Amino acid sequence: MQADEEMYRLIVNEISDGILVLDADFVARFANPAMLRILGYSPDELDGVWAGDLVWSEAEDLGRFAEETEKRRRGESGNYELRWRRKDGSACWSRISATARFDPDGQFDGSLIVFQDITERKRTDETLRLWASVFANSREGIAITDRNGIILDVNEAFVRITGYGREEVIGQNPRILQSGRHDSAFYAGMWESLYKVQIPFFMIKQSNDMIALIDGHDQRL
C-alpha cells in the first residue's frame, strides 16, 4: 500500500499536465506542481480559491464554467476547452478532463480536473487561420512551396495575374516564372535565404513582378 502511494505521488508530481482538486463548492484544495507552474501561483496562493475566479472573464468562458459545474454536480464527467487567467493576468487555454468525486455516502464531494495547457496550439491555429485568410483574399498572387522549391499551392490572384491554372503550376518549380533579370546564381542564393528564414512562399504583384521577402527586403525575381 505504501509503495502504491509513493508511486501515485511520483506520478502526480512529475506529470506535465496540471491536476486540480476542487471541493463541493468548486474551491481549490490541491494543485500539483504542473498546475501551479501553468497558472503561476504558489500552493498557498491557490489553496482556497474558488475556481470561477481563475476562469477568463468573458461570457463564453464563464458560461461554459457554469455549465460544467452543473454537470459535475450531476455526477457527469466532461472533456472540454476553457480559458483560464494566470496570476500575471494573461490568458491560458486548456483542454480539461473533469471527473466528479463522491463521498462514501454518495454525496457530491467535488471534482478532479486534469488540465492540459494548449495555449501554444491555439496561437498556432489562429496564425494559420490568419494566413489562410491572407492567402485566399490577397490581391497579390501567392505561391506556397516546399523546402525544395516545388509549388504546393497558389491563390486565385496568382492564377489571375500569371494566367497559369493551379493544375499547371502545382508540382512545378517557380523557375517557370523567371523574369530573365537574374542568373542561376541569384536564384540559388534566393532559395538558400528563404530556407534560412523558413518563409517558403513568394508573391506575384499585380505589376507582374515576382517578389520574395528576404532579410526584411523585397527581392524582385
Side-chain angles (χ1 to χ4, degrees):
M1 181 66 72
Q2 184 175 358
D4 288 342
E5 290 179 357
E6 289 297 327
M7 180 183 67
Y8 293 142
R9 185 178 296 108
L10 178 64
I11 292 172
V12 167
N13 287 335
E14 297 299 327
I15 191 172
S16 61
D17 291 342
I19 295 176
L20 183 64
V21 177
L22 306 176
D23 66 18
D25 295 317
F26 299 93
V27 170
R29 294 306 179 194
F30 171 81
N32 74 335
M35 190 73 189
L36 296 171
R37 182 178 65 255
I38 291 168
L39 293 183
Y41 288 95
S42 69
D44 290 341
E45 290 172 328
L46 197 57
D47 184 45
V49 175
W50 180 55
D53 289 335
L54 301 172
V55 175
W56 194 249
S57 57
E58 289 193 12
E60 179 182 358
D61 302 283
L62 293 173
R64 187 59 189 268
F65 174 74
E67 177 185 336
E68 291 297 330
T69 57
E70 289 306 312
K71 289 181 180 179
R72 298 300 89 73
R73 288 191 176 99
R74 296 196 299 266
E76 300 176 18
S77 298
N79 295 285
Y80 57 99
E81 294 181 358
L82 189 69
R83 280 181 299 181
W84 298 70
R85 177 183 288 101
R86 295 189 180 97
K87 181 182 176 181
D88 64 9
S90 63
C92 174
W93 271 104
S94 66
R95 174 68 180 172
I96 290 175
S97 177
T99 305
R101 300 166 48 240
F102 294 89
D103 65 20
D105 296 326
Q107 299 298 310
F108 176 67
D109 196 37
S111 305
L112 172 65
I113 292 176
V114 178
F115 181 111
Q116 182 183 11
D117 185 353
I118 60 171
T119 305
E120 287 304 316
R121 194 201 80 189
K122 284 289 188 177
R123 288 174 180 164
T124 300
D125 290 347
E126 184 60 31
T127 299
L128 291 175
R129 280 193 292 270
L130 175 61
W131 275 108
S133 177
V134 171
F135 182 78
N137 298 308
S138 175
R139 293 184 299 174
E140 314 289 4
I142 300 175
I144 300 174
T145 73
D146 65 16
R147 290 189 60 82
N148 296 315
I150 301 302
I151 296 174
L152 302 176
D153 201 4
V154 297
N155 66 351
E156 289 299 321
F158 182 102
V159 172
R160 173 175 51 78
I161 293 170
T162 67
Y164 286 95
R166 289 182 71 253
E167 67 281 357
E168 295 180 273
V169 296
I170 290 177
Q172 300 294 320
N173 188 287
R175 68 171 58 94
I176 65 174
L177 302 170
Q178 288 179 8
S179 63
R181 294 172 177 165
H182 304 286
D183 59 20
S184 59
F186 171 87
Y187 291 101
M190 176 199 76
W191 286 112
E192 182 180 358
S193 296
L194 288 175
Y195 295 152
K196 285 180 180 177
V197 296
Q198 298 183 346
I199 304 178
F201 69 88
F202 59 87
M203 296 191 302
I204 307 294
K205 298 181 73 69
Q206 295 193 72
S207 61
N208 286 326
D209 284 331
M210 185 160 70
I211 306 293
L213 183 66
I214 301 176
D215 295 332
H217 298 89
D218 287 350
Q219 296 279 1
R220 283 175 170 76
L221 310 182

